[in-house]
Amino acid sequence: MNNSKIATRLAKISDLPEIQTMFVDTITAICKDDYSPEQIMVWTSSIKNTQRWTDIITLQYFLIAEVDGNIVGYISLYDNDYIDLLYVHKDYQRQGIADKLYCEIEKEAIKKGGTVLQSDVSKTARPFFEKKGFIVLKEQTNIRQGVEIINYKMTKQL
Ligand SMILES: CC(C)(COP(=O)(O)OP(=O)(O)OC[C@H]1O[C@@H](n2cnc3c(N)ncnc32)[C@H](O)[C@@H]1OP(=O)(O)O)[C@@H](O)C(=O)NCCC(=O)NCCS
């Protein structure tokens, strides 16, 4: 996609329903080759933690990408050195949306004096983070609601 068609802005609390719908839809459609239906159910059930989502929008640097006024992706930066969320709409994959969001977050981190970025990255997102220069520090097995979910602690020096 022509990069100039992708607009970015800070998230508002009123975006929360659309953000959460996209979270569930993206994981269900895009991560199904890397995670089982049971793992996906546990992962998507985290939208029920309303306090966490409100905190992410109000306390983190939370950027939204829009195309023609619709939310097509988002990224959030916590404490200037941790990428918490990065999700792109299932119908807008591989069109440079995560790339644009990531570049803006990296610039913001550098502007605030950051020297390193970290994230806990899904199997699905690992190739994207590797492309952006992150390396895997370790593979992690998380137990959530009794279900094992593997992800990777990844880091990049800025
Ligand atoms: C990971 C994710 C955010 C990438 O978003 P995207 O907008 O499709 O990524 P981009 O189009 O900006 O990709 C930029 C580059 O990253 C690399 N890349 C992205 N996805 C890739 C994939 N699945 N396999 C290999 N390389 C990939 C490519 O080099 C790509 O450039 P190219 O398309 O010119 O080859 C998206 O696939 C997603 O939402 N995944 C599911 C949710 C998820 O797991 N989020 C992370 C939670 S930790």
Side-chain angles (χ1 to χ4, degrees), residues 36-109:
S36 70
E38 190 185 32
Q39 290 169 324
I40 284 179
M41 207 182 64
V42 169
W43 188 357
T44 55
S45 73
S46 64
I47 59 160
K48 291 179 194 149
N49 188 346
T50 310
Q51 188 61 50
R52 162 156 158 80
W53 282 88
T54 308
D55 285 352
I56 293 172
I57 291 187
T58 52
L59 303 177
Q60 299 193 14
Y61 186 81
F62 194 132
L63 266 189
I64 276 181
E66 285 183 327
V67 171
D68 299 330
N70 298 312
I71 296 177
V72 294
Y74 48 84
I75 191 165
S76 75
L77 179 68
Y78 174 70
D79 219 10
N80 208 29
D81 64 4
Y82 182 76
I83 296 175
D84 193 346
L85 301 179
L86 174 59
Y87 291 86
V88 167
H89 194 290
K90 65 181 174 52
D91 299 332
Y92 289 84
Q93 297 280 314
R94 296 302 281 269
Q95 297 185 38
I97 290 167
D99 192 64
K100 177 151 182 167
L101 286 167
Y102 173 77
C103 288
E104 292 200 17
I105 283 282
E106 189 183 274
K107 253 189 254 159
E108 178 69 17

XYZ file of all heavy atoms in Angstrom, residues 36-109:
617
model
N -2.739 -23.397 18.651
C -3.923 -24.269 18.586
C -5.189 -23.461 18.911
O -5.102 -22.381 19.520
C -3.771 -25.399 19.604
O -3.897 -24.864 20.909
N -6.376 -23.999 18.566
C -7.627 -23.315 18.927
C -7.712 -23.027 20.427
O -8.184 -21.961 20.839
C -8.705 -24.307 18.490
C -8.083 -25.085 17.373
C -6.625 -25.200 17.730
N -7.239 -23.956 21.255
C -7.283 -23.757 22.708
C -6.364 -22.594 23.123
O -6.735 -21.731 23.930
C -6.831 -25.053 23.393
C -7.056 -25.049 24.884
C -6.473 -26.297 25.544
O -5.453 -26.829 25.059
O -7.048 -26.724 26.565
N -5.166 -22.548 22.543
C -4.229 -21.456 22.857
C -4.804 -20.114 22.395
O -4.702 -19.100 23.100
C -2.881 -21.713 22.167
C -2.122 -22.889 22.786
C -0.927 -23.317 21.954
O -0.955 -23.283 20.723
N 0.138 -23.724 22.618
N -5.443 -20.113 21.233
C -6.026 -18.868 20.709
C -7.179 -18.403 21.599
O -7.328 -17.206 21.860
C -6.435 -19.062 19.229
C -5.157 -19.023 18.390
C -7.445 -18.002 18.772
C -5.314 -19.220 16.928
N -7.948 -19.350 22.105
C -9.061 -18.991 22.983
C -8.544 -18.318 24.265
O -9.066 -17.292 24.694
C -9.844 -20.253 23.336
C -11.286 -19.995 23.666
S -12.070 -21.529 24.100
C -11.199 -21.984 25.586
N -7.488 -18.895 24.835
C -6.912 -18.315 26.061
C -6.343 -16.923 25.764
O -6.570 -15.961 26.508
C -5.818 -19.245 26.620
C -5.033 -18.551 27.725
C -6.433 -20.535 27.132
N -5.605 -16.808 24.661
C -4.981 -15.527 24.283
C -6.054 -14.449 24.082
O -5.969 -13.357 24.648
C -4.174 -15.772 23.000
C -3.299 -14.646 22.535
C -3.159 -13.401 23.078
C -2.439 -14.687 21.396
N -2.259 -12.658 22.338
C -1.809 -13.433 21.309
C -2.138 -15.658 20.436
C -0.898 -13.125 20.285
C -1.236 -15.357 19.430
C -0.626 -14.106 19.360
N -7.092 -14.764 23.303
C -8.115 -13.741 23.004
C -8.975 -13.425 24.228
O -9.538 -12.332 24.307
C -9.029 -14.177 21.837
O -9.591 -15.450 22.147
C -8.274 -14.250 20.527
N -9.037 -14.353 25.191
C -9.884 -14.096 26.367
C -9.317 -12.964 27.225
O -9.990 -12.450 28.118
C -10.065 -15.365 27.204
O -8.868 -15.652 27.897
N -8.086 -12.541 26.931
C -7.497 -11.441 27.711
C -8.231 -10.117 27.473
O -8.007 -9.155 28.208
C -5.997 -11.296 27.408
O -5.800 -10.944 26.066
N -9.117 -10.048 26.467
C -9.892 -8.792 26.305
C -10.864 -8.579 27.465
O -11.359 -7.473 27.652
C -10.690 -8.706 24.975
C -11.676 -9.848 24.845
C -9.805 -8.535 23.778
C -12.767 -9.511 23.849
N -11.118 -9.634 28.227
C -12.075 -9.473 29.345
C -11.480 -8.648 30.488
O -12.195 -8.167 31.352
C -12.493 -10.855 29.864
C -13.348 -11.602 28.853
C -13.734 -12.963 29.381
C -14.292 -13.859 28.274
N -14.013 -15.279 28.496
N -10.161 -8.508 30.486
C -9.502 -7.738 31.549
C -9.576 -6.237 31.213
O -8.615 -5.622 30.759
C -8.047 -8.209 31.670
C -7.357 -7.608 32.866
O -7.856 -6.649 33.463
N -6.201 -8.150 33.202
N -10.760 -5.668 31.432
C -11.035 -4.286 31.009
C -10.051 -3.287 31.607
O -9.599 -2.364 30.928
C -12.472 -3.891 31.418
O -13.338 -4.927 30.977
C -12.892 -2.580 30.782
N -9.683 -3.502 32.887
C -8.760 -2.567 33.538
C -7.424 -2.509 32.806
O -6.858 -1.442 32.581
C -8.550 -2.974 35.005
C -7.759 -1.954 35.813
C -8.453 -0.593 35.872
O -9.638 -0.520 36.186
N -7.739 0.482 35.542
N -6.918 -3.704 32.401
C -5.635 -3.728 31.680
C -5.735 -2.921 30.385
O -4.851 -2.148 30.050
C -5.199 -5.171 31.382
C -4.136 -5.270 30.283
C -3.289 -6.522 30.358
N -2.666 -6.849 29.075
C -1.563 -6.286 28.574
N -0.935 -5.331 29.236
N -1.086 -6.659 27.411
N -6.834 -3.082 29.654
C -6.970 -2.388 28.368
C -7.104 -0.878 28.566
O -6.532 -0.098 27.806
C -8.171 -2.963 27.595
C -7.807 -4.265 26.973
C -7.892 -5.505 27.533
C -7.216 -4.462 25.673
N -7.419 -6.451 26.662
C -7.003 -5.841 25.517
C -6.867 -3.601 24.637
C -6.446 -6.386 24.367
C -6.314 -4.140 23.475
C -6.114 -5.514 23.358
N -7.859 -0.479 29.580
C -7.987 0.954 29.859
C -6.615 1.516 30.228
O -6.218 2.587 29.763
C -8.980 1.172 31.023
O -10.174 0.466 30.718
C -9.295 2.628 31.208
N -5.864 0.769 31.041
C -4.526 1.214 31.436
C -3.599 1.339 30.226
O -2.809 2.287 30.140
C -3.893 0.212 32.422
C -4.497 0.328 33.812
O -5.275 1.274 34.044
O -4.207 -0.541 34.649
N -3.692 0.381 29.295
C -2.799 0.431 28.135
C -3.032 1.725 27.355
O -2.094 2.415 26.958
C -2.992 -0.794 27.206
C -2.527 -2.073 27.901
C -2.201 -0.613 25.904
C -2.854 -3.339 27.141
N -4.309 2.066 27.168
C -4.617 3.266 26.371
C -4.249 4.541 27.127
O -3.741 5.495 26.534
C -6.106 3.275 25.961
C -6.324 2.154 24.949
C -6.499 4.629 25.364
C -7.690 2.123 24.328
N -4.472 4.556 28.436
C -4.235 5.807 29.164
C -2.774 5.969 29.610
O -2.265 7.076 29.666
C -5.163 5.928 30.397
O -5.038 4.732 31.166
C -6.602 6.110 29.988
N -2.091 4.848 29.896
C -0.742 4.962 30.474
C 0.380 4.736 29.453
O 1.513 5.147 29.678
C -0.562 3.960 31.627
C -1.573 4.070 32.774
C -1.333 2.971 33.803
C -1.479 5.452 33.431
N 0.077 4.061 28.332
C 1.146 3.781 27.364
C 1.064 4.759 26.190
O 0.046 5.414 25.974
C 1.009 2.341 26.838
C 1.133 1.297 27.943
C 1.306 -0.122 27.401
O 1.581 -0.338 26.241
N 1.149 -1.098 28.281
N 2.169 4.828 25.450
C 2.156 5.601 24.199
C 1.536 4.668 23.162
O 2.161 3.720 22.694
C 3.591 5.991 23.837
C 3.684 6.916 22.650
C 3.469 8.287 22.791
C 3.985 6.425 21.386
C 3.546 9.135 21.704
C 4.068 7.281 20.293
C 3.845 8.623 20.464
O 3.913 9.475 19.389
N 0.265 4.914 22.834
C -0.530 3.968 22.052
C -0.888 4.608 20.713
O -1.671 5.554 20.667
C -1.800 3.624 22.847
C -2.557 2.424 22.340
C -2.966 1.438 23.225
C -2.882 2.280 21.008
C -3.666 0.326 22.787
C -3.582 1.172 20.553
C -3.978 0.192 21.450
N -0.315 4.084 19.648
C -0.527 4.654 18.310
C -1.443 3.755 17.490
O -1.282 2.530 17.480
C 0.800 4.719 17.558
C 1.638 5.961 17.583
C 2.783 5.797 16.575
C 0.829 7.204 17.238
N -2.345 4.398 16.767
C -3.289 3.685 15.899
C -2.974 4.032 14.447
O -2.609 5.169 14.153
C -4.714 4.141 16.269
C -5.197 3.318 17.441
C -5.677 4.059 15.100
C -6.588 3.647 17.882
N -3.109 3.045 13.560
C -3.007 3.306 12.116
C -4.407 3.227 11.521
O -5.180 2.316 11.853
C -2.101 2.272 11.460
N -4.716 4.193 10.659
C -6.022 4.199 10.004
C -5.855 4.284 8.497
O -4.939 4.952 8.000
C -6.839 5.423 10.455
C -7.404 5.294 11.848
C -8.262 6.494 12.248
O -7.960 7.622 11.807
O -9.219 6.301 12.987
N -6.765 3.612 7.804
C -6.872 3.766 6.350
C -8.344 4.101 6.073
O -9.233 3.366 6.522
C -6.449 2.477 5.605
C -6.778 2.582 4.117
C -4.964 2.209 5.800
N -8.572 5.188 5.383
C -9.939 5.647 5.084
C -10.809 5.705 6.349
O -11.981 5.316 6.330
C -10.605 4.731 4.037
C -9.830 4.723 2.716
O -9.200 5.751 2.399
O -9.851 3.685 2.034
N -10.212 6.141 7.453
C -10.978 6.340 8.694
C -11.221 5.071 9.504
O -11.847 5.127 10.564
N -10.731 3.914 9.026
C -10.908 2.669 9.794
C -9.598 2.267 10.457
O -8.523 2.419 9.858
C -11.355 1.534 8.872
C -12.693 1.825 8.235
O -13.643 2.219 8.918
N -12.769 1.684 6.916
N -9.708 1.717 11.670
C -8.511 1.265 12.380
C -8.004 -0.016 11.717
O -8.735 -0.993 11.567
C -8.815 1.021 13.873
C -9.201 2.337 14.551
C -7.605 0.396 14.566
C -9.589 2.204 16.025
N -6.739 0.020 11.283
C -6.157 -1.151 10.591
C -4.941 -1.705 11.337
O -4.355 -2.696 10.899
C -5.778 -0.812 9.128
C -7.027 -0.521 8.302
C -4.788 0.342 9.076
N -4.571 -1.068 12.457
C -3.445 -1.593 13.225
C -3.166 -0.710 14.419
O -3.666 0.419 14.505
N -2.391 -1.263 15.361
C -1.954 -0.443 16.493
C -0.717 -1.032 17.157
O -0.391 -2.214 16.992
C -3.073 -0.251 17.532
C -3.817 -1.486 17.951
C -3.345 -2.326 18.943
C -5.026 -1.803 17.351
C -4.046 -3.445 19.331
C -5.749 -2.934 17.730
C -5.240 -3.754 18.717
O -5.934 -4.875 19.099
N -0.033 -0.129 17.873
C 1.190 -0.508 18.589
C 1.201 0.277 19.900
O 0.674 1.394 19.949
C 2.438 -0.187 17.733
C 3.711 -0.816 18.319
C 2.643 1.317 17.573
C 4.878 -0.826 17.327
N 1.758 -0.310 20.959
C 1.852 0.465 22.201
C 3.239 0.317 22.822
O 3.850 -0.758 22.777
C 0.760 0.050 23.196
O 1.053 -1.185 23.785
N 3.711 1.428 23.378
C 5.040 1.498 23.998
C 4.872 1.792 25.479
O 4.252 2.789 25.859
C 5.847 2.617 23.334
C 7.260 2.859 23.850
C 8.188 1.688 23.510
C 7.832 4.155 23.238
N 5.414 0.904 26.314
C 5.309 1.059 27.767
C 6.672 1.468 28.316
O 7.705 0.863 27.951
C 4.862 -0.268 28.388
C 4.857 -0.275 29.901
C 3.911 0.461 30.608
C 5.795 -1.008 30.602
C 3.908 0.451 31.998
C 5.802 -1.020 31.997
C 4.858 -0.280 32.680
O 4.858 -0.277 34.046
N 6.659 2.477 29.191
C 7.870 2.851 29.909
C 9.044 3.140 28.968
O 10.202 2.912 29.327
C 8.250 1.704 30.870
C 8.770 2.257 32.173
O 8.659 3.480 32.378
O 9.312 1.468 32.975
N 8.718 3.527 27.746
C 9.744 3.965 26.795
C 10.679 2.871 26.271
O 11.568 3.151 25.469
C 10.588 5.074 27.451
C 11.147 6.003 26.424
O 10.535 6.181 25.375
N 12.295 6.563 26.688
N 10.517 1.620 26.754
C 11.439 0.595 26.252
C 10.789 -0.769 26.002
O 11.481 -1.743 25.703
C 12.628 0.418 27.217
C 12.211 -0.091 28.579
O 11.006 -0.387 28.776
O 13.086 -0.188 29.464
N 9.452 -0.827 26.128
C 8.787 -2.126 25.973
C 7.600 -2.009 25.013
O 6.681 -1.201 25.247
C 8.306 -2.628 27.341
C 7.651 -3.982 27.267
C 8.407 -5.145 27.120
C 6.254 -4.107 27.309
C 7.801 -6.383 27.027
C 5.646 -5.348 27.225
C 6.432 -6.478 27.078
O 5.827 -7.720 26.981
N 7.634 -2.785 23.930
C 6.495 -2.813 23.010
C 5.509 -3.848 23.544
O 5.813 -5.041 23.596
C 6.936 -3.147 21.573
C 7.841 -2.030 21.045
C 5.713 -3.320 20.664
C 8.432 -2.295 19.681
N 4.359 -3.365 23.989
C 3.376 -4.250 24.614
C 2.484 -4.876 23.544
O 2.406 -6.097 23.417
C 2.557 -3.429 25.638
C 1.720 -4.304 26.554
O 1.554 -5.501 26.257
O 1.212 -3.794 27.578
N 1.787 -4.046 22.750
C 0.866 -4.563 21.730
C 1.338 -4.195 20.330
O 1.827 -3.081 20.112
C -0.526 -3.950 21.929
C -1.223 -4.171 23.266
C -2.565 -3.455 23.263
C -1.429 -5.657 23.532
N 1.179 -5.121 19.394
C 1.354 -4.806 17.964
C 0.448 -5.739 17.175
O 0.693 -6.951 17.100
C 2.817 -4.989 17.517
C 3.049 -4.829 15.997
C 2.623 -3.448 15.493
C 4.504 -5.096 15.625
N -0.598 -5.173 16.629
C -1.575 -5.975 15.885
C -1.984 -5.224 14.619
O -2.193 -4.014 14.644
C -2.821 -6.253 16.745
C -2.492 -7.196 17.881
C -1.978 -6.707 19.081
C -2.631 -8.569 17.731
C -1.621 -7.565 20.111
C -2.275 -9.438 18.758
C -1.774 -8.928 19.930
O -1.408 -9.788 20.944
N -2.111 -5.992 13.521
C -2.558 -5.414 12.246
C -3.807 -6.169 11.788
O -3.899 -7.401 11.947
C -1.419 -5.479 11.199
C -1.937 -5.177 9.792
C -0.318 -4.496 11.577
N -4.756 -5.440 11.262
C -6.040 -6.001 10.808
C -5.812 -7.171 9.853
O -4.951 -7.113 8.983
C -6.831 -4.892 10.107
C -8.260 -5.217 9.878
N -8.673 -6.170 8.968
C -9.382 -4.720 10.444
C -9.993 -6.243 8.981
N -10.445 -5.382 9.866
N -6.631 -8.205 9.995
C -6.448 -9.434 9.197
C -6.517 -9.174 7.684
O -5.882 -9.888 6.907
C -7.474 -10.494 9.604
C -8.919 -10.138 9.310
C -9.861 -11.251 9.771
C -11.325 -10.904 9.642
N -11.787 -10.421 8.346
N -7.271 -8.160 7.271
C -7.403 -7.884 5.840
C -6.344 -6.908 5.323
O -6.378 -6.522 4.151
C -8.798 -7.300 5.537
C -9.914 -8.257 5.917
O -9.674 -9.481 5.894
O -11.016 -7.785 6.270
N -5.421 -6.489 6.196
C -4.403 -5.499 5.800
C -2.986 -5.990 6.099
O -2.075 -5.188 6.301
C -4.655 -4.169 6.511
C -5.872 -3.432 5.993
C -7.146 -3.734 6.457
C -5.745 -2.438 5.017
C -8.268 -3.069 5.985
C -6.861 -1.756 4.537
C -8.119 -2.082 5.030
O -9.219 -1.422 4.548
N -2.806 -7.315 6.145
C -1.481 -7.872 6.421
C -0.528 -7.608 5.252
O -0.946 -7.533 4.104
C -1.605 -9.388 6.636
C -2.458 -9.781 7.840
C -1.735 -9.674 9.167
O -0.599 -10.119 9.298
N -2.386 -9.084 10.153
N 0.759 -7.500 5.574
C 1.854 -7.366 4.596
C 1.658 -6.163 3.659
O 1.923 -6.229 2.477
C 2.027 -8.639 3.775
C 2.453 -9.855 4.581
C 3.758 -9.699 5.353
N 4.967 -9.834 4.570
C 5.615 -10.975 4.385
N 5.171 -12.071 4.932
N 6.728 -10.997 3.684
N 1.159 -5.072 4.242
C 1.011 -3.841 3.451
C 1.792 -2.698 4.076
O 1.542 -1.529 3.783
C -0.481 -3.481 3.332
C -1.269 -4.545 2.585
C -2.720 -4.158 2.340
O -3.020 -2.997 2.058
N -3.615 -5.107 2.438
N 2.709 -3.044 4.989
C 3.590 -2.025 5.552
C 3.020 -1.284 6.750
O 3.584 -0.274 7.194
N 1.889 -1.766 7.300
C 1.261 -1.042 8.417
C 2.084 -1.191 9.706
O 2.384 -0.213 10.378
C -0.195 -1.498 8.591
C -0.997 -0.963 7.401
C -0.784 -0.993 9.914
C -2.347 -1.546 7.218
N 2.478 -2.422 10.034
C 3.313 -2.616 11.238
C 4.636 -1.870 11.082
O 5.147 -1.281 12.035
C 3.563 -4.103 11.475
N 5.169 -1.901 9.872
C 6.430 -1.207 9.599
C 6.305 0.284 9.950
O 7.151 0.842 10.653
C 6.758 -1.391 8.113
C 8.155 -0.962 7.798
O 9.080 -1.588 8.320
O 8.322 0.026 7.058
N 5.228 0.910 9.472
C 5.030 2.339 9.732
C 4.848 2.595 11.235
O 5.450 3.513 11.805
C 3.812 2.839 8.959
C 3.502 4.291 9.220
C 2.841 4.967 8.072
C 2.623 6.436 8.422
N 2.273 7.240 7.290
N 4.023 1.783 11.883
C 3.783 1.962 13.327
C 5.079 1.776 14.109
O 5.408 2.561 15.001
C 2.737 0.946 13.807
C 1.290 1.223 13.402
C 0.422 -0.004 13.669
C 0.749 2.433 14.155
N 5.833 0.714 13.754
C 7.070 0.434 14.488
C 8.059 1.603 14.351
O 8.676 2.036 15.333
C 7.716 -0.891 14.041
C 9.052 -1.023 14.710
C 9.121 -1.390 16.049
C 10.227 -0.648 14.050
C 10.330 -1.408 16.713
C 11.439 -0.661 14.711
C 11.485 -1.044 16.038
O 12.676 -1.035 16.702
N 8.212 2.095 13.114
C 9.193 3.178 12.889
C 8.854 4.399 13.743
O 9.741 5.047 14.305
C 9.244 3.565 11.410
S 10.044 2.284 10.429
N 7.556 4.695 13.886
C 7.168 5.863 14.695
C 7.458 5.630 16.178
O 7.897 6.526 16.895
C 5.687 6.178 14.469
C 5.466 6.678 13.049
C 4.180 7.458 12.874
O 3.597 7.903 13.871
O 3.780 7.618 11.702
N 7.202 4.404 16.634
C 7.468 4.080 18.054
C 8.972 4.127 18.342
O 9.413 4.624 19.384
C 6.897 2.673 18.378
C 5.390 2.733 18.540
C 7.580 2.059 19.597
C 4.907 3.289 19.863
N 9.763 3.616 17.402
C 11.221 3.626 17.601
C 11.728 5.068 17.687
O 12.543 5.401 18.547
C 11.917 2.858 16.470
C 13.393 2.658 16.754
C 14.139 1.951 15.629
O 14.156 0.716 15.591
O 14.711 2.666 14.775
N 11.198 5.908 16.798
C 11.590 7.330 16.817
C 11.223 7.963 18.159
O 11.995 8.721 18.738
C 10.839 8.080 15.693
C 11.727 8.455 14.522
C 10.998 9.371 13.576
C 10.606 8.633 12.320
N 9.517 9.192 11.532
N 10.021 7.651 18.651
C 9.547 8.195 19.931
C 10.467 7.736 21.077
O 10.840 8.530 21.938
C 8.108 7.708 20.165
C 7.486 8.142 21.472
C 7.197 9.639 21.542
O 7.167 10.296 20.488
O 7.023 10.141 22.675
N 10.835 6.457 21.064
C 11.704 5.928 22.127
C 13.060 6.635 22.102
O 13.591 7.030 23.150
C 11.877 4.419 21.961
